[in-house]
Amino acid sequence: MLFLDHSPDLSPIDLEIYKYVASHLDEVVYMRIRELAKETHSSTASILRFCRKFGCEGFSEFKIKLNLYRKSLTEPVTTHAVDETSFTNFIQRSTEAFYQERIQAAAKLLSEKDLVLFIGTGSSNIIAEYGALYFSSIFSMAFHIEDPINHPVNFFNKSMAKNVCVIALSVSGENEAIINYLNHFITNDSSIISITNSEKSPIAALSDVNIPYYISTERIGDSDITSQVPALYTVEYLAKEVQKQKQDHS
């Protein structure tokens, strides 16, 4: 909200001030506090309380931060060209013992389960959906949880849950919706495999097996546009390894 990365608790008066500020950025940065109070039909005291909710000691500090925010909106959005070397380096790392050991451990765990559930949010949700389709040729039951935030998990009793493995996909490994979802499965003794960019994350810590891929992150504003190629590669690699283990034991 404006220059904050969260939404403060705004009263009805605060909301009116916010609406005016958000729609008159170019004017507000040059206004005096009395002028803003007049335009928003409020008081200077209300303006000061509003500023404090945005982490500012006074109206002057608020205007400085607002002006920086205003300028950031007009900055051209640039993206870096695709860095093929990062993909090449990842493929090389996937042949090393660390990655191979994680793949083998995850494949062994999956080979002992009857049901696989894929979950993710944002772009990871697309990979989760693909993963469920890809795994469905190997498992009799592999599903994608489309909406982890609102999808109930109490439809499994404990005996069923023990035969379930959840594969969680998250670049940051810090998504609260995924963490909350995994906690429900953990209490019912389901197994967790996570595919994340780093093993130093909450989701990785909650997992029985974590497969990190370590690729440079990239953002545009609040949007994470980090490549999902390593996650996609890992899903396919893992599926083929599970298939191989099943064939070896048949």
Side-chain angles (χ1 to χ4, degrees):
M1 183 171 277
L2 293 179
F3 47 78
L4 295 182
D5 58 2
H6 65 280
S7 297
D9 184 18
L10 300 181
S11 67
I13 294 176
D14 293 329
L15 284 172
E16 290 303 316
I17 298 171
Y18 169 76
K19 290 176 183 177
Y20 183 87
V21 170
S23 59
H24 296 82
L25 294 177
D26 293 337
E27 294 91 342
V28 173
V29 293
Y30 298 110
M31 279 184 175
R32 296 177 180 175
I33 188 170
R34 291 184 183 278
E35 292 173 330
L36 180 57
K38 180 180 178 181
E39 292 294 334
T40 56
H41 307 289
S42 62
S43 65
T44 56
S46 295
I47 300 297
L48 287 173
R49 282 193 294 270
F50 175 83
C51 292
R52 293 189 188 103
K53 290 185 178 181
F54 280 79
C56 301
E57 290 297 323
F59 187 55
S60 295
E61 183 182 352
F62 177 81
K63 287 198 298 180
I64 291 172
K65 291 184 177 180
L66 187 68
N67 195 33
L68 291 172
Y69 168 74
R70 181 178 67 100
K71 291 179 179 179
S72 71
L73 297 178
T74 61
E75 292 176 353
V77 176
T78 58
T79 57
H80 298 289
V82 174
D83 183 7
E84 294 88 351
T85 59
S86 64
F87 299 140
T88 303
N89 291 338
F90 163 71
I91 296 298
Q92 178 60 41
R93 290 196 303 275
S94 72
T95 65
E96 297 174 356
F98 174 83
Y99 184 90
Q100 290 294 320
E101 288 169 2
R102 297 295 178 96
I103 287 287
Q104 293 298 322
K108 183 177 185 302
L109 188 61
L110 284 165
S111 66
E112 299 168 352
K113 303 298 179 179
D114 298 323
L115 172 63
V116 181
L117 298 177
F118 282 83
I119 60 172
T121 61
S123 57
S124 294
N125 188 43
I126 304 301
I127 305 301
E129 183 176 9
Y130 173 78
L133 289 172
Y134 199 83
F135 265 70
S136 63
S137 61
I138 300 170
F139 283 88
S140 56
M141 290 196 294
F143 299 105
H144 163 233
I145 302 301
E146 186 173 352
D147 186 6
I149 298 175
N150 299 311
H151 198 95
V153 293
N154 54 3
F155 52 86
F156 287 116
N157 59 45
K158 199 151 191 173
S159 60
M160 290 176 60
K162 289 182 179 179
N163 294 318
V164 174
C165 183
V166 181
I167 298 182
L169 294 112
S170 173
V171 176
S172 69
E174 298 177 354
N175 186 282
E176 286 296 329
I178 301 298
I179 291 170
N180 292 335
Y181 203 80
L182 293 181
N183 280 324
H184 286 290
F185 277 98
I186 290 171
T187 58
N188 285 320
D189 294 332
S190 295
S191 298
I192 309 294
I193 294 171
S194 61
I195 300 173
T196 59
N197 193 36
S198 170
E199 63 180 333
K200 304 296 183 183
S201 66
I203 290 177
L206 289 173
S207 307
D208 296 286
V209 181
N210 171 249
I211 308 174
Y213 43 84
Y214 294 109
I215 194 170
S216 298
T217 58
E218 189 175 359
R219 303 187 70 88
I220 295 180
D222 295 331
S223 301
D224 189 335
I225 60 168
T226 302
S227 174
Q228 289 283 358
V229 170
L232 180 65
Y233 177 92
T234 300
V235 166
E236 293 191 0
Y237 198 126
L238 181 58
K240 289 177 180 178
E241 190 57 40
V242 173
Q243 184 181 38
K244 179 182 176 183
Q245 289 197 14
K246 283 181 172 289
Q247 290 174 343
D248 290 343
H249 289 88
S250 62

